[in-house]
């Protein structure tokens, strides 16, 4: 007569599998687990252990040397509208709300462009509502930056650039050189926004030419 095996005998069986995770240094992690744990549990534990922090994103700067010439050159040239505003105001010794607003408007256009990058990436292979929804958030943040009154608008734009950059570099699908370029461009543009914000406190303020600029900046 056939007898059934005890349930505990099955629960004690050890299933050996190898999970490989591609890391930034091209190393792999091998994990052995029993059937008491699922693959998702192990993935969650690994992600918790190796969770990205703000400073960790700067490691991608090591791959900036691998960036193609075209995106690297255009990206650096795209920093000129950011840097020109605080440099000009510092050299003249006068804070200009009109110039500050042009920097804010340019920041809003860059935020919209950032969302477009993610949207374009998703068109090839995804129908993920979550990812598509995220891709339109930078555009909404850009719109809000133009609505937030006073110096808070600059702070909002700065925080949005930093926040979306940090999230993007932790996502798969982007080449390492692009992540390095993204970190570099975001860091420089954020510093210029912070410089403009600082100058708004220390320099005498020039009268704004438009009521909208006066309200915003």
């Amino acid at each position: 007569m056939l007898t059934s095996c005890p349930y505990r005998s099955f629960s004690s069986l050890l299933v050996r599998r190898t999970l490989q995770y591609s890391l930034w240094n091209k190393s792999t992690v091998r994990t052995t687990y029993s059937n008491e744990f699922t693959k998702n549990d192990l993935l969650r534990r690994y992600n918790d252990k190796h969770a990205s922090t703000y400073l960790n994103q700067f490691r991608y700067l090591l791959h900036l040397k691998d960036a193609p010439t075209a995106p690297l050159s255009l990206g650096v040239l795209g920093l000129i509208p950011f840097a020109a505003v605080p440099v000009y105001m510092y050299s003249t010794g006068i804070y200009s709300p009109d110039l500050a607003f042009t920097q804010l408007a340019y920041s809003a256009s860059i935020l919209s462009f950032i969302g477009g990058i993610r949207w374009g990436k998703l068109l090839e292979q995804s129908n993920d509502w979550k990812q598509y929804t995220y891709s339109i958030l930078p555009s909404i943040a850009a719109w809000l930056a133009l609505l937030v009154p006073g110096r808070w608008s600059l702070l909002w734009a700065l925080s949005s650039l930093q926040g979306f950059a940090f999230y993007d570099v932790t996502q798969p699908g982007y080449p390492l050189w692009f992540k390095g370029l993204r970190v570099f461009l975001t860091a420089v543009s954020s510093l210029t926004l912070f410089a403009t914000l600082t100058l708004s406190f220390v320099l005498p303020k020039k009268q704004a030419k438009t009521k909208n600029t006066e309200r915003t900046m």
Side-chain angles (χ1 to χ4, degrees), residues 47-210:
N47 290 333
D48 291 341
K49 182 178 179 180
H50 298 272
S52 296
T53 63
Y54 177 79
L55 294 179
N56 282 345
Q57 65 178 316
F58 292 99
R59 69 178 184 266
Y60 292 110
L61 292 175
L62 298 175
H63 303 280
L64 190 59
K65 64 181 184 299
D66 301 322
T69 305
L72 178 61
S73 301
L74 293 174
V76 172
L77 289 175
L79 293 174
I80 294 178
F82 277 112
V85 172
V87 169
Y88 178 81
M89 289 193 293
Y90 180 78
S91 62
T92 59
I94 298 176
Y95 174 78
S96 172
D98 296 292
L99 285 179
F101 185 77
T102 62
Q103 187 187 40
L104 177 65
Y106 184 68
S107 302
S109 66
I110 293 299
L111 282 170
S112 297
F113 176 75
I114 289 171
I117 295 176
R118 190 67 180 175
W119 181 282
K121 185 68 177 177
L122 294 173
L123 291 178
E124 300 178 357
Q125 55 189 2
S126 175
N127 191 31
D128 190 339
W129 274 87
K130 179 181 178 181
Q131 293 297 328
Y132 272 107
T133 301
Y134 163 75
S135 67
I136 68 173
L137 292 181
S139 298
I140 296 176
W143 174 62
L144 291 175
L146 298 176
L147 294 180
V148 175
R151 297 182 178 95
W152 291 105
S153 57
L154 290 173
L155 187 59
W156 176 267
L158 190 159
S159 302
S160 298
L161 287 172
Q162 286 288 321
F164 289 119
F166 175 71
Y167 180 83
D168 281 343
V169 297
T170 62
Q171 300 302 301
Y174 295 115
L176 295 179
W177 67 261
F178 175 80
K179 293 185 177 183
L181 181 61
R182 180 70 184 280
V183 170
F184 170 73
L185 297 178
T186 301
V188 176
S189 59
S190 298
L191 287 174
T192 62
L193 287 170
F194 182 76
T196 301
L197 183 63
T198 303
L199 292 176
S200 69
F201 288 99
V202 299
L203 294 181
K205 184 177 180 179
K206 181 180 179 181
Q207 183 66 31
K209 294 182 179 180
T210 64

